[in-house]
Amino acid sequence: MNLNFDKSPNGLIPTIIQDATTKTVLMLGYMNHEALKKTEETQKVTFFSRSKNRLWTKGEESGNYLHLVDIQEDCDSDTLLIQVNPEGPTCHKGTDTCWGESNEQNFGFLSKLEEIIASRKENSQDETSYVASLFRKGINKIAQKVGEEAVETVIEAKDNDDSLFLNESADLLFHYLILLKAKGFTLNDVVVLLKSRHK
């Protein structure tokens, strides 16, 4: 790394802390050369505290350490992005992040879809909801639908109509998310298992 500590009058470089797994931004701190060196040596993120005017290892009092995973410098060599595995909440106020956000794995629209499916399960008596009707019919019907959509996806994969293939793929994924919820699991449970198999 060829960091430009001299760009700042006090020799401090802004340092963004990001969860290595969820990619959630946890906090912003500042590092000087000594803080960076100690972070690399101890594998625990250490900042230069402007209020204490000294090196400060996050978690030295609370035990909520930020375990180092990766360090990247930006294109101008004057900002750091550090990926970590956090131990406990990051903010001194007890929240996961310094912005009060929850540090949970998020899969974008698929996570939103999981929330909608969960809501339909809770309101399974809603006569207007297709998803609610599946939950009313029970696990056998839901599993059957996944099987049907899987077969239809395979059939379309063997043809040349990409639009039909993508539509069937979407139907399969949608019904699979319903099956996961019916069994009491989430997409993240599957991802965790896949990661455990990845060597």
Side-chain angles (χ1 to χ4, degrees):
M1 261 188 277
N2 188 27
L3 290 166
N4 188 355
F5 287 99
D6 296 330
K7 205 165 187 178
S8 168
N10 53 12
L12 299 179
I13 286 183
T15 304
I16 301 163
I17 306 298
Q18 181 183 43
D19 188 299
T21 301
T22 66
K23 305 306 179 189
T24 301
V25 174
L26 303 176
M27 66 172 290
L28 172 71
Y30 292 88
M31 282 189 175
N32 59 11
H33 180 75
E34 291 74 22
L36 178 59
K37 183 179 178 183
K38 185 174 181 183
T39 295
E40 293 173 327
E41 288 173 351
T42 65
Q43 297 293 291
K44 293 177 181 174
V45 176
T46 297
F47 301 100
F48 182 85
S49 171
R50 295 173 298 170
S51 59
K52 299 173 184 176
N53 197 34
R54 65 170 175 85
L55 294 187
W56 165 66
T57 299
K58 176 71 180 79
E60 64 186 22
E61 296 177 3
S62 66
N64 298 329
Y65 294 105
L66 298 172
H67 298 281
L68 179 64
V69 174
D70 185 50
I71 302 176
Q72 299 173 42
E73 61 182 289
D74 75 341
C75 57
D76 293 323
S77 299
D78 61 0
T79 303
L80 287 172
L81 173 63
I82 297 186
Q83 295 192 5
V84 301
N85 288 324
E87 185 176 346
T90 297
C91 184
H92 69 283
K93 292 185 175 180
T95 54
D96 288 348
T97 79
C98 289
W99 291 270
E101 295 179 332
S102 177
N103 183 22
E104 295 177 356
Q105 184 68 61
N106 189 290
F107 303 101
F109 178 71
L110 291 181
S111 293
K112 178 65 175 174
L113 199 52
E114 281 191 307
E115 292 175 10
I116 294 170
I117 290 169
S119 173
R120 299 295 189 269
K121 183 180 180 184
E122 291 174 8
N123 299 291
S124 60
Q125 300 310 309
D126 182 355
E127 298 289 338
T128 65
S129 168
Y130 167 72
V131 175
S133 73
L134 285 179
F135 282 119
R136 284 197 304 274
K137 291 173 183 174
I139 191 71
N140 288 345
K141 181 61 177 178
I142 296 171
Q144 178 187 338
K145 283 298 295 180
V146 172
E148 291 171 1
E149 298 300 343
V151 169
E152 290 172 8
T153 301
V154 170
I155 291 170
E156 293 304 334
K158 299 175 76 170
D159 290 334
N160 294 319
D161 191 324
D162 290 344
S163 177
L164 286 176
F165 170 70
L166 285 175
N167 272 285
E168 294 301 341
S169 298
D171 288 345
L172 174 57
L173 181 54
F174 176 65
H175 286 90
Y176 177 63
L177 291 175
I178 295 172
L179 181 60
L180 277 175
K181 177 52 71 175
K183 293 292 292 181
F185 296 106
T186 67
L187 189 57
N188 192 51
D189 294 315
V190 178
V191 170
V192 168
L193 180 58
L194 288 172
K195 284 183 176 179
S196 73
R197 294 178 181 176
H198 181 67
K199 303 297 180 187

